[in-house]
Amino acid sequence: MIRFEDVTKVYDTTSRPALDGVTTEIVRGEFVFLVGPSGSGKSTFIRLVQREEKASSGTVYVSGRDVARLSSWRVPHLRRDLGVVFQDFRLLPNKTVFSNVAFAMQVLGKRRSLINQTVPEVLETVGLRDKAHRFPHELSGGEQQRVAIARAVVNKPAILLADEPTGNLDPETSWGIMEVLDTIHQNGTTVVMATHDNEIVNTMRRRVVELEAGKIVRDEAEGGYQPADNTAQLQSRLRKTEVK
Amino acid sequence: MRFAFILSETFSGIRRNLSMVISVVLVTFISLTFVGSAGLLQMQINQMKGYWYDRVEVAIFLCNDTSTAASCAGGGITDAQRDAIEAQLDSPQAAAYVESYEYESQEQALELFQQQYANLDMAESVTAEQLPESFRVSLVDPEQYEVVNEMFSGMAGVEVVSDQRELLESLFSLMNIASVIAIALAIIMLITAILLIATTIRLSAFSRRRETGIMRLVGASKTMIQLPFLAEGVVAALLGAALASVATWAIAKFFIADWLASQYPQTGFISSAEALWLVPLLFLIALILAAASSMLTLRRYLKV
């Protein structure tokens, strides 16, 4: 499904690479946690799959295609195979829950009848059936993230990429989100989730790929995650919040 | 669905960006009106050329006893000289340029003179001897005056070769200068319009960056993402072109066809219907304008 062959990504030649010679494969139907401290290359990994960035060297294959060699008008086709969820939800504030999810179908030119049928089903899956006509600001963070997940999967992508989807949520709400992601995985979608929430990783017992300074330091089938230095982790998180 | 969606995105973009869109419409309107006016001037010049050039001729004035020109040192023209000039007019070299010619004697010249200046006291006192004989030559192509001039001005017995067209030329060059100024202003305004459309698209792209971000994310095609912005610029530019077309037509109708034509009934003026030929041109320029500015912008601010 996703294959990295000796992938290196350098943003700025003066600093160290964001990803440094990464080789790994994620097969269809897997649920993979991508763990590691901030700056370890998790987000870069996801951006390379989306082809938001191109690898400096090495090759990224998604569904058998070398993404770097896709022509610019083929890139949208790649992205239709991917659903993406972010830490900051990225909903449209002036659209209702229903319209936010429907928007993802509209821009692909789907028929109105199909939209009216599919959107309520997906909202059911994420547990927001009765909030279809609310606006994002009327929802809690967890609910907003559910809308974002609904939008990511409404076009039935083969792969769901989640970049710290629980990063802004309290532990209890995070579990709700994990249940939704698990359901989507059960339905056959490959899920790649970048996180540094060790509690979630340790409880779920899924495959864990750990990155550190752009290199894979661990790849375990049913792994857990114990950040090497909690203080450093906390500090880096604090820095991140300050920047925002 | 797809088309309706793009259309609704376009109009929501225009609504959000109304003041910018209006300024684009106005700038395109003014600049294209300048283009239209320059076009009208050129059409008018062509019209007048066609009208007058059929009527103007080259006059080869021959020496008479009072001539002072150097070529007339030998006094009045002799019959031999006159025959030589006539032979030259009939010659095959001249045939390519000369459509027809007529000989005008001193008596005929006097008659014409007295007709034209009947209200002048002086007309009575002029005698035939004071006026030159001439050949009145109409040319196949009036632009070829110089060739004819060279052919005859050196000949013995020719006082001067004069081209009535010269008078018109000074008028035309004045009109040409006016249209060059109009075009220069139009070009400056068109550049402003391109930059303004580019800024408008950029602003619009910025105010809708959330939407376009999500569109990219879910794999919307390039057309779907970029077309509403492109359409926004095109709609504004075309509105400007429509206004400029109306203005150009109004100038042709009310200023030229109605007012000028009543002031100078002798002159051939273009009709307002002819001004309509400029309309497709104005719309074409507007389209190129919008396309050029979109090229500047979409690539940078709305990459897929």
Side-chain angles (χ1 to χ4, degrees), chain A residues 29-31 153 156-160 184-191:
Chain A
E30 262 190 301
F31 192 123
V153 299
K156 308 202 165 31
I159 303 167
L160 179 65
I184 289 163
H185 174 239
Q186 304 284 323
N187 293 342
T189 309
T190 309
V191 179

Side-chain angles (χ1 to χ4, degrees), chain A residues 154-182:
Chain A
V154 74
N155 290 314
K156 308 202 165 31
I159 303 167
L160 179 65
L161 304 170
D163 193 355
E164 309 215 16
T166 58
N168 276 348
L169 306 173
D170 58 60
E172 207 168 313
T173 319
S174 297
W175 279 112
I177 296 297
M178 288 319 295
E179 274 164 26
V180 171
L181 291 179
D182 196 43

Side-chain angles (χ1 to χ4, degrees), chain A residues 10-21:
Chain A
V10 183
Y11 287 106
D12 175 0
T13 43
T14 55
S15 57
R16 66 162 183 82
L19 279 185
D20 191 356

Side-chain angles (χ1 to χ4, degrees), chain A residues 35-211:
Chain A
V35 299
S38 297
S40 58
K42 305 188 295 289
S43 294
T44 300
F45 186 98
I46 285 175
R47 291 173 68 80
L48 283 168
V49 175
Q50 283 181 279
R51 220 260 208 180
E52 284 279 348
E53 306 285 351
K54 278 189 189 179
S56 310
S57 70
T59 322
V60 177
Y61 294 95
V62 176
S63 309
R65 290 173 294 197
D66 176 353
V67 296
R69 292 173 68 180
L70 286 178
S71 62
S72 69
W73 60 273
R74 293 288 305 178
V75 171
H77 292 267
L78 165 74
R79 299 205 178 128
R80 283 171 215 175
D81 258 355
L82 307 170
V84 195
V85 179
F86 300 96
Q87 189 172 0
D88 57 355
F89 323 138
R90 302 197 188 174
L91 301 177
L92 299 174
N94 55 344
K95 287 190 192 293
T96 62
V97 167
F98 182 94
S99 308
N100 261 289
V101 179
F103 185 75
M105 293 184 83
Q106 282 174 339
V107 299
L108 297 188
K110 296 283 165 63
R111 294 168 163 284
R112 190 181 299 272
S113 56
L114 183 66
I115 294 175
N116 288 337
Q117 185 200 333
T118 315
V119 175
E121 283 173 16
V122 176
L123 287 178
E124 176 84 64
T125 314
V126 299
L128 286 176
R129 171 134 232 178
D130 50 338
K131 303 220 163 148
H133 299 289
R134 301 286 188 86
F135 285 91
H137 65 88
E138 299 170 330
L139 303 177
S140 70
E143 286 166 334
Q144 289 188 45
Q145 190 60 292
R146 284 163 194 258
V147 179
I149 294 171
R151 182 180 63 196
V153 299
V154 74
N155 290 314
K156 308 202 165 31
I159 303 167
L160 179 65
L161 304 170
D163 193 355
E164 309 215 16
T166 58
N168 276 348
L169 306 173
D170 58 60
E172 207 168 313
T173 319
S174 297
W175 279 112
I177 296 297
M178 288 319 295
E179 274 164 26
V180 171
L181 291 179
D182 196 43
T183 311
I184 289 163
H185 174 239
Q186 304 284 323
N187 293 342
T189 309
T190 309
V191 179
V192 179
M193 174 170 160
T195 185
H196 42 223
D197 190 328
N198 49 340
E199 199 191 319
I200 287 173
V201 178
N202 290 334
T203 314
M204 297 281 287
R205 288 284 146 194
R206 304 284 183 169
R207 181 176 167 197
V208 172
V209 175
E210 185 172 350
L211 287 164

Side-chain angles (χ1 to χ4, degrees), chain A residues 23-37:
Chain A
T23 301
T24 187
E25 183 166 9
I26 294 165
V27 298
R28 185 180 295 274
E30 262 190 301
F31 192 123
V32 181
F33 284 115
L34 216 52
V35 299

